[in-house]
Each structure stands twice: as structure tokens, then as C-alpha cells.
Amino acid sequence: MSSSHIKPGDLVKLKSSGPVMTVGKQISGEFQCYWYDKTTKKIEKSNLAKEALIKCEQESI
């Protein structure tokens, strides 16, 4: 799936790997993404470029 079809509420991953994240809002061409860190037991967030993300299929989680 293309990153151009990513919208708030979608599940995404970094193209290079990493945890499944939930997309929040889009800010200046980047997506605010949230994920649960099992090590720190906290919800983390980061603004990530759309080019670095790939949409996850619900069945693959």
C-alpha cells in the first residue's frame, strides 16, 4: 500500500521495521504516530515522514 493513502486512525509501520503504530494527525507533511513501548510500558509518539511509513493490513497484526 502507498503511504499517500495513510490517514488518521490507520495502522502503520516504518518501512525499515519497528512496532505497529496508530496514525494521529498530519502536521506539515508528517504524521504523528503513537505506539505502546513494552519496555517502558508507556505510549510513545513521534512525527514521521510519510515516505518512511507503510500501511499495515489488519490481518497481519
Side-chain angles (χ1 to χ4, degrees):
M1 268 252 166
S2 169
S3 62
S4 64
H5 293 97
I6 295 172
K7 62 188 182 309
D10 284 345
L11 299 175
V12 297
K13 288 180 92 170
L14 288 171
K15 288 181 178 177
S16 59
S17 73
V20 174
M21 302 176 283
T22 302
V23 176
K25 58 187 171 180
Q26 187 172 4
I27 304 169
S28 302
E30 294 185 331
F31 290 100
Q32 195 170 58
C33 296
Y34 298 86
W35 67 96
Y36 180 74
D37 186 322
K38 293 176 184 177
T39 305
T40 63
K41 297 185 179 173
K42 293 183 180 179
I43 295 175
E44 304 288 345
K45 73 174 180 176
S46 184
N47 294 341
L48 301 167
K50 65 182 178 181
E51 295 82 11
L53 301 172
I54 189 164
K55 195 170 177 180
C56 294
E57 296 298 325
Q58 189 70 24
E59 299 83 36
S60 66
I61 299 172

